[in-house]
Amino acid sequence: MCGIVGIVGKKPVNQAIYDALTVLQHRGQDAAGIVTWGENGLNVRKSNGLVRDVFRTRHMLRLTGNVGMGHIRYPTAGGAQSSEAQPFYVNSPYGICLAHNGNLTNYRALADRLTREDHRHLNTSSDSEVLLNVFAHELQIRASGRPSPDQIFDAVEAVHKRCSGGYAVVAMIIGHGIVAFRDPNGIRPIVVGRRETRDGAEYMVASESVALDLLQFEKLRDIGPGEAVFIENAGVMHSREYADATSCSPCIFEFVYFARPDSIIDDLSVYKARLRMGAQLAGQIVREWPDHDIDVVIPIPDTSRTAAVPVAYHLGVKYREGFVKNRYIGRTFIMPGQAERAQSVRRKLNAIDLEFRGKNVLLVDDSIVRGTTSRQIIRMAREAGARKVYFASAAPPVRYPNVYGIDMPAASELIASGRSVEKIEELIGADRLIYQDLHGLIRAVRHDDSHITQFDTSCFSGEYVTDDVTDDYLRALEKARSDGAKSRREARYKMPDLELAEEANDPGTAVGM
């Protein structure tokens, strides 16, 4: 999962992009990048690390210009080396920078065709670079002179016909403007907003509406499935809906875990969806376990808090905060390796003994993916004196790989893959395990008046929105993206310290292109 932002402003946008990336940091902690364009030309700063670490004062001062874009990432395709930090750049036509959130399921075929037929060179194993080159190639064969909005939109439609998967994209055509578009199934989120200034209108696109809120941009709308938006440097916005049939199928895991609760995705409130997840989960507990002996409901901070409150309310038991979180430790779900995830849990959370001692505790989490965190937390609850430890997940069992940009591709690393609830209960050490059912999750996320009729639920149901996800594809993906494969890649790409890399003139940290 990644976060993207693009701004066409009337004044320097470097600080605005930086601020937007900080509120999207939850979407990726591996690398960050900003590219701006202005009178001094094109300026870029990107490297591995958190936003606050990648950008220092000296970098921000060089990121001049009223048009720019930014990206934060963790790797689902490619590796974690700084050479794959985004945005990517290609010189022809015009000069294009591109960043994207998602994953191309036909990446290998596209890469082969790009090099063999389109005669384009690829520097990395990132599908974002492939997507950039597909767009650049399609624009080059259509545009003449100054690219028109129609030529740009025709190029985007050609991208949709060649690319499969889930993707939200922001691209800067140097000297002309910002392009943003979304895959025809609307799997990955992207919104567009507008802000009026004394000098005219400014426009912004971002992965989540919370970035617009921070910078006081009014949300115009979610970019629709297959839709493209082009914002000229002069501040004029054009848009075109995708000509072919589309089916808006947003990723339901955004609402379960990834998105911030104060975001609105496809006109659906993430916060209200999580409240309803809790209510649905409580109803399921009452139906399946009417004579429960739960004394207290305790959430696993932070994303499960919103769901845990209505669970306690509807069960008629106490709600308590039983864990204190170290806010300087990253999200364990997106740690790069299993060993690091396991090690970070105890550094991340500490139990308050008096909330556990002698009680039957129901721990509520948003989901259970690999089971690492759940097992460690249940052990911590027992060590704190809990008499019994029950565990409830606000999402169904994650049994299948996600191929559209969430880093859970290897089925063998999912604790629920091929296992019964009873077996998972035994593996994580819970006295009882309760999962939300899929229909309950869908009811929780979808408002009664929502225009969304279906979601991408592939990690729960095994049903993929695109028709190119075969058993052979999943086997190849698991081989390429298991924790073991990632560890081997990381061993080959050990990077020096950020400051030392810059002193050595590492191209991954350079400013200026």
Side-chain angles (χ1 to χ4, degrees):
M1 193 63 63
C2 300
I4 57 176
V5 59
I7 300 178
V8 175
K10 299 298 181 182
K11 57 184 179 180
V13 296
N14 54 350
Q15 187 64 51
I17 295 173
Y18 176 95
D19 291 342
L21 292 181
T22 62
V23 297
L24 296 176
Q25 186 76 82
H26 60 282
R27 301 186 67 86
Q29 303 169 3
D30 207 65
I34 294 177
V35 173
T36 60
W37 183 86
E39 293 180 356
N40 296 328
L42 189 66
N43 304 283
V44 61
R45 165 67 181 175
K46 58 180 183 176
S47 190
N48 283 6
L50 300 175
V51 173
R52 66 171 184 247
D53 299 321
V54 171
F55 304 103
R56 307 293 176 87
T57 301
R58 63 184 182 277
H59 307 130
M60 297 297 291
L61 290 173
R62 298 177 206 164
L63 291 168
T64 58
N66 296 355
V67 180
M69 56 184 288
H71 182 266
I72 52 100
R73 85 182 287 255
Y74 82 87
T76 53
Q81 59 269 28
S82 66
S83 64
E84 296 195 359
Q86 299 181 37
F88 285 119
Y89 172 80
V90 69
N91 186 58
S92 178
Y94 309 107
I96 301 173
C97 297
L98 180 143
H100 111 282
N101 170 34
N103 183 55
L104 301 182
T105 52
N106 62 341
Y107 157 78
R108 293 189 181 280
L110 285 170
D112 179 65
R113 181 178 172 185
L114 278 168
T115 55
R116 182 169 41 84
E117 298 180 16
D118 297 346
H119 307 296
R120 302 189 77 91
H121 175 72
L122 299 175
N123 293 303
T124 72
S125 58
S126 171
D127 60 342
S128 300
E129 189 188 14
V130 167
L131 206 160
L132 165 62
N133 277 274
V134 171
F135 176 64
H137 175 78
E138 297 299 338
L139 183 60
Q140 187 163 14
I141 63 179
R142 288 168 174 79
S144 57
R146 184 178 183 86
S148 69
D150 283 341
Q151 290 170 334
I152 293 169
F153 294 147
D154 287 345
V156 172
E157 292 210 1
V159 169
H160 291 326
K161 294 182 187 303
R162 291 180 64 174
C163 297
S164 181
Y167 50 90
V169 177
V170 59
M172 181 165 63
I173 304 175
I174 309 304
H176 300 288
I178 293 282
V179 186
F181 56 92
R182 190 179 187 188
D183 69 84
N185 293 298
I187 298 172
R188 301 266 69 90
I190 184 169
V191 297
V192 58
R194 174 185 171 117
R195 181 173 68 182
E196 292 294 340
T197 72
R198 287 179 295 181
D199 299 319
E202 298 180 317
Y203 289 91
M204 177 178 177
V205 294
S207 292
E208 294 185 34
S209 62
V210 65
L212 304 182
D213 297 339
L214 171 72
L215 298 171
Q216 297 183 299
F217 278 77
E218 178 187 0
K219 180 184 174 183
L220 296 178
R221 66 179 186 278
D222 298 271
I223 295 178
E227 182 184 11
V229 169
F230 174 53
I231 306 161
E232 297 182 42
N233 285 349
V236 179
M237 189 178 88
H238 312 266
S239 65
R240 182 199 284 182
E241 294 182 357
Y242 187 42
D244 292 353
T246 60
S247 175
C248 192
S249 307
C251 175
I252 205 165
F253 210 76
E254 291 275 358
F255 297 89
V256 170
Y257 175 81
F258 268 107
R260 275 183 42 149
D262 44 347
S263 284
I264 307 292
I265 298 176
D266 289 305
D267 296 325
L268 299 173
S269 165
V270 176
Y271 175 72
K272 288 186 177 180
R274 290 178 184 169
L275 283 176
R276 288 192 295 270
M277 287 178 206
Q280 290 282 344
L281 182 59
Q284 187 168 330
I285 293 171
V286 169
R287 290 191 301 273
E288 295 181 4
W289 191 15
D291 57 345
H292 71 81
D293 58 351
I294 299 167
D295 296 319
V296 61
V297 171
I298 293 177
I300 311 301
D302 283 318
T303 45
S304 62
R305 279 197 176 104
T306 310
V309 171
V311 169
Y313 174 80
H314 289 288
L315 293 181
V317 301
K318 294 177 181 178
Y319 170 92
R320 291 290 186 267
E321 293 284 342
F323 294 101
V324 176
K325 181 178 180 181
N326 180 352
R327 300 188 182 280
Y328 301 97
I329 297 292
R331 301 177 93 177
T332 53
F333 177 81
I334 55 179
M335 291 289 180
Q338 183 74 354
E340 189 172 350
R341 280 188 293 270
Q343 186 181 18
S344 69
V345 173
R346 285 185 178 269
R347 296 200 305 261
K348 178 181 177 182
L349 297 175
N350 188 47
I352 302 174
D353 289 8
L354 63 88
E355 296 296 351
F356 292 92
R357 194 174 301 119
K359 298 176 183 177
N360 297 336
V361 177
L362 175 66
L363 301 179
V364 177
D365 208 349
D366 50 75
S367 58
I368 306 171
V369 180
R370 292 171 171 90
T372 307
T373 301
S374 306
R375 189 182 304 111
Q376 294 263 346
I377 288 174
I378 290 170
R379 187 178 300 138
M380 290 171 66
R382 294 196 190 281
E383 291 171 358
R387 186 166 58 243
K388 291 184 179 179
V389 182
Y390 309 123
F391 204 95
S393 168
V398 178
R399 299 189 186 279
Y400 305 94
N402 182 286
V403 301
Y404 300 125
I406 297 177
D407 192 19
M408 53 171 90
S412 61
E413 294 169 5
L414 305 175
I415 194 170
S417 178
R419 295 188 177 99
S420 67
V421 173
E422 290 75 19
K423 183 60 178 177
I424 303 166
E425 181 179 281
E426 176 187 340
L427 288 172
I428 65 174
D431 291 299
R432 184 158 187 158
L433 174 61
I434 304 101
Y435 276 106
Q436 177 97 264
D437 68 62
L438 183 56
H439 294 298
L441 176 63
I442 292 172
R443 282 194 300 271
V445 177
R446 185 172 58 206
H447 297 189
D448 291 338
D449 59 351
S450 171
H451 66 285
I452 303 298
T453 58
Q454 66 180 38
F455 295 90
D456 166 48
T457 62
S458 54
C459 59
F460 306 122
S461 64
E463 298 173 359
Y464 295 93
V465 174
T466 56
D467 58 7
D468 58 342
V469 182
T470 63
D471 289 341
D472 288 342
Y473 173 85
L474 293 175
R475 281 192 290 270
L477 193 72
E478 177 161 355
K479 184 177 180 180
R481 298 194 192 170
S482 67
D483 277 342
K486 287 181 180 178
S487 296
R488 288 189 292 273
R489 282 196 297 271
E490 292 307 308
R492 293 198 301 267
Y493 291 105
K494 289 293 185 183
M495 299 303 297
D497 178 84
L498 289 176
E499 297 301 317
L500 296 177
E502 183 168 296
E503 291 174 7
N505 197 27
D506 188 310
T509 64
V511 175
M513 279 187 174

